Amino acid sequence: MQAIYAMHLQQASDITQQERFLHQSIDDIIDLYLIITSSLVKLKELEEDFIEKSKQKIIKSSTDINPHMNFVQNKVLTTLAESEGLKEILKKKKISNWSIDDSYLKNILGEIKNSTLYSDYIKLENPSIKEDKQFIVAVFTEIIAPNEKLNDYLEDLNLSWSDDIPIVNTLLVKKIEQLKIYGNFKTPNVYKDIEDKDFATQLFRKVILNDEKLAQEFADKTPNWDNERIAELDRTILKMAIAELLHFPSIPVKVTINEYVEIAKEYATPKSSLFINGILDKLSKEYTQAKRINKIGRGLL
């Protein structure tokens, strides 16, 4: 949607260039995932460094002498830190943000150590794998993920990541919950399979190459609206939805309508979702009656 919308606004004509940008933006999600994942490893390193420096003090407190070790010995953090797979892909993709920009994480580590989550956690004697996972998930969801400065930093690295951060955060939480302790940490694939990647390409091309035809499909369905007054983003969403209805036989009609109504709620004006839902509902019924929709498989209408 963003690629198509941007192409219209820029009145660009180079489909190939915009298509490359689309796929690069999707592929970059892995970089975001790795940066956020590696932040957990860096937090462990920062605390280890803090403990070591505390031991070197001339005047030491009891905590300096006998530091709390649950955090640095956390099995989730240790598994990530020792994962050869994670080290290899970070090196391959040259991701080393936290070796330079660790001030964000130093502040976050301070928040963690001042939290009730942390004070309750360090009281545990030999925490179990389950308790270690629960602690990291809670810290991540309640302290790390909502951190505005961290999110601003990530968005400054790549503007398109503003929409990807919540998705990556949710995925990482699931990965932590499923993590095999002391096993190799595997980075997820961007696409489920080659068909998944092809779908992005084909949808982009179908909308761009059939722009006028798709616009004509809803031109007479808005009697109370001058077609030129329909917001450009609403027009983009409608074109994409119509392209799916007519050209993607494996996607159920209800799924298409529901998905684009949700996209409208997220990105368009407050009234857009109702407007788009009404148009797509009318069109889907007309297409079905005129046998223009040919879906493959059971229950696809």
Side-chain angles (χ1 to χ4, degrees):
M1 181 196 73
Q2 291 172 331
I4 294 167
Y5 181 67
M7 194 164 182
H8 280 303
L9 287 186
Q10 297 166 7
Q11 296 183 335
S13 58
D14 191 337
I15 297 176
T16 305
Q17 182 182 0
Q18 197 65 30
E19 192 176 301
R20 281 199 299 269
F21 171 76
L22 168 65
H23 285 295
Q24 186 61 53
S25 297
I26 296 172
D27 290 338
D28 283 347
I29 293 176
I30 286 296
D31 287 0
L32 174 62
Y33 179 85
L34 291 169
I35 291 171
I36 295 176
T37 301
S38 63
S39 72
L40 296 175
V41 177
K42 187 64 179 181
L43 286 169
K44 171 180 161 68
E45 292 175 1
L46 288 171
E47 179 61 5
E48 287 172 336
D49 186 55
F50 174 81
I51 290 172
E52 191 58 36
K53 286 178 179 177
S54 297
K55 290 179 180 179
Q56 306 304 319
K57 289 180 181 178
I58 296 174
I59 301 175
K60 303 180 181 69
S61 67
S62 58
T63 304
D64 293 332
I65 297 168
N66 295 299
H68 302 297
M69 299 299 289
N70 282 4
F71 187 83
V72 294
Q73 292 177 351
N74 180 281
K75 299 173 190 65
V76 172
L77 299 184
T78 302
T79 297
L80 293 176
E82 295 179 355
S83 171
E84 292 302 323
L86 181 58
K87 290 177 186 176
E88 185 179 336
I89 193 167
L90 287 172
K91 183 178 180 181
K92 180 181 178 182
K93 294 179 84 54
K94 299 179 180 178
I95 293 174
S96 57
N97 298 66
W98 306 125
S99 63
I100 302 169
D101 302 321
D102 63 356
S103 59
Y104 298 95
L105 298 185
K106 286 178 180 177
N107 291 333
I108 288 174
L109 181 60
E111 287 184 45
I112 292 171
K113 293 174 72 173
N114 287 325
S115 70
T116 304
L117 285 171
Y118 182 83
S119 60
D120 290 342
Y121 179 63
I122 60 175
K123 292 175 186 175
L124 299 175
E125 290 187 22
N126 300 317
S128 65
I129 292 172
K130 182 179 179 181
E131 288 170 328
D132 278 350
K133 285 186 176 183
Q134 287 174 337
F135 171 72
I136 295 301
V137 167
V139 162
F140 185 79
T141 55
E142 295 180 31
I143 298 175
I144 301 174
N147 188 278
E148 290 185 10
K149 289 185 178 178
L150 177 62
N151 287 321
D152 287 344
Y153 167 74
L154 295 171
E155 288 175 22
D156 285 343
L157 291 176
N158 189 324
L159 189 59
S160 68
W161 283 351
S162 60
D163 293 313
D164 301 330
I165 291 171
I167 298 169
V168 169
N169 287 342
T170 301
L171 176 60
L172 182 54
V173 167
K174 289 182 180 178
K175 284 291 182 181
I176 291 170
E177 291 172 337
Q178 299 166 359
L179 185 65
K180 292 182 179 179
I181 301 302
Y182 305 128
N184 205 11
F185 185 78
K186 293 183 179 179
T187 304
N189 296 321
V190 177
Y191 301 99
K192 181 179 66 177
D193 49 38
I194 191 64
E195 291 182 3
D196 206 18
K197 184 174 183 178
D198 287 344
F199 167 74
T201 302
Q202 291 304 316
L203 180 59
F204 178 79
R205 290 177 181 173
K206 290 288 184 186
V207 176
I208 295 299
L209 296 175
N210 296 284
D211 183 77
E212 291 184 9
K213 289 181 181 179
L214 292 169
Q216 199 58 40
E217 294 287 344
F218 58 84
D220 61 346
K221 297 296 181 295
T222 55
N224 298 324
W225 288 79
D226 180 343
N227 203 35
E228 295 301 318
R229 286 178 56 216
I230 300 175
E232 185 60 44
L233 189 55
D234 290 357
R235 292 168 61 84
T236 298
I237 293 171
L238 282 169
K239 291 171 190 174
M240 291 175 68
I242 294 167
E244 269 194 27
L245 289 172
L246 296 176
H247 302 294
F248 292 84
S250 64
I251 303 177
V253 171
K254 289 181 180 178
V255 170
T256 293
I257 294 176
N258 289 341
E259 287 289 345
Y260 285 100
V261 167
E262 288 303 311
I263 289 173
K265 287 179 182 177
E266 184 71 22
Y267 295 99
T269 64
K271 294 182 180 180
S272 292
S273 59
L274 292 174
F275 171 71
I276 287 168
N277 185 58
I279 299 296
L280 293 179
D281 186 57
K282 286 181 184 178
L283 286 173
S284 65
K285 289 175 181 176
E286 288 183 12
Y287 293 159
T288 301
Q289 204 168 35
K291 297 183 178 180
R292 293 182 65 189
I293 290 180
N294 298 299
K295 298 294 181 179
I296 300 171
R298 296 178 60 187
L300 292 182
L301 295 181

